[in-house]
Amino acid sequence: MNAKTKRRLIVVTGIIVIVLVVVLAVVGGSSSAKSVKIADVTGGQYADQKIQVSGNVVENSFTTDDNVLTFDIYDPDGDMTQQLRVVYEGGVAATFGNDVTAICTGRVGADGVLHATELVTKCPSKYENSTDALGVAQLAGYGDSVLDKPVKVTGVVKDGTLTAAGQGDRFVIADADGAGELPVLFEDALSDEVKDGSVLVLTGSLNEDGKFHSTDVAIAQ
């Protein structure tokens, strides 16, 4: 290899290295996010920086408008009066709901709102024995005598009925043999273990509209 060819090879190699460094810097800068606390964000320290914030969803603070979810989060281990508003555009998982842990990644705008591009929700699983719970058809058989009275009911989550909180019926449960179906209202967080076909134990009451207003959802043991 002559000297001229070597010089060309060195120049080309140098250009490739520079391009790779620039690309990695851009990709790394766009994908990495610093984990911070809500108190730091509300103090204005991270305006227009890409950050990741974790907090629990403030009860009934969420609204959805044209697929844009707006909600508030607080630090359960800190000052609960300090709350951060989050705006997220995108599909919301069925696990989203009151007091669920929301891991939000995005940038804080001049309005002090975290405009999230990523949203992950986590909720611990609950388990309960279904022995003393009524089946869906059994519950229906009691008629008006059980309206607005506390009761436990068990059933299987009907395929395709799971939705996020704030969108009407949260899901529908049915007896395993298909003898009855029951729409369920529930605004709190669901574990990510709750899926189509899950057997659940619900605590709550049947309202006059024929829907079960659940105060607690557990996975049947």
Side-chain angles (χ1 to χ4, degrees):
M1 184 182 295
N2 59 40
K4 188 175 181 179
T5 303
K6 285 183 179 180
R7 285 196 298 271
R8 286 180 177 176
L9 182 59
I10 292 172
V11 171
V12 171
T13 302
I15 292 173
I16 292 174
V17 170
I18 291 172
V19 170
L20 286 174
V21 169
V22 171
V23 169
L24 289 174
V26 171
V27 172
S30 63
S31 60
S32 60
K34 183 176 183 179
S35 295
V36 299
K37 293 183 178 180
I38 291 175
D40 295 331
V41 181
T42 56
Q45 299 179 37
Y46 295 97
D48 202 34
Q49 296 182 40
K50 188 169 185 180
I51 58 173
Q52 184 178 87
V53 188
S54 296
N56 287 21
V57 176
V58 176
E59 185 172 355
N60 299 327
S61 67
F62 50 85
T63 58
T64 304
D65 186 17
D66 290 335
N67 207 37
V68 176
L69 174 68
T70 302
F71 60 97
D72 298 329
I73 58 174
Y74 70 93
D75 184 351
D77 299 318
D79 183 354
M80 295 186 182
T81 63
Q82 289 187 316
Q83 299 178 359
L84 176 64
R85 175 142 295 188
V86 181
V87 173
Y88 175 71
E89 184 174 354
V92 183
T95 52
F96 185 86
N98 286 333
D99 216 35
V100 68
T101 298
I103 303 172
C104 314
T105 304
R107 296 180 184 274
V108 179
D111 53 2
V113 175
L114 177 62
H115 296 266
T117 55
E118 299 175 33
L119 173 62
V120 178
T121 55
K122 292 184 177 181
C123 177
S125 300
K126 294 181 180 179
Y127 299 91
E128 190 166 341
N129 194 302
S130 61
T131 302
D132 58 347
L134 298 173
V136 175
Q138 284 180 302
L139 180 65
Y142 282 97
D144 292 345
S145 64
V146 293
L147 287 181
D148 299 321
K149 294 181 179 179
V151 66
K152 285 186 179 180
V153 63
T154 184
V156 179
V157 177
K158 185 178 179 180
D159 289 357
T161 62
L162 273 169
T163 63
Q167 300 183 17
D169 298 342
R170 193 65 176 276
F171 53 86
V172 174
I173 60 168
D175 289 320
D177 60 3
E181 293 186 357
L182 183 63
V184 177
L185 302 172
F186 185 67
E187 296 299 317
D188 290 354
L190 289 174
S191 163
D192 56 10
E193 288 191 47
V194 177
K195 301 175 181 177
D196 289 349
S198 295
V199 181
L200 304 180
V201 178
L202 312 179
T203 302
S205 59
L206 188 67
N207 64 27
E208 59 183 9
D209 295 328
K211 297 185 179 184
F212 193 79
H213 190 278
S214 184
T215 56
D216 189 71
V217 174
I219 299 169
Q221 291 181 324

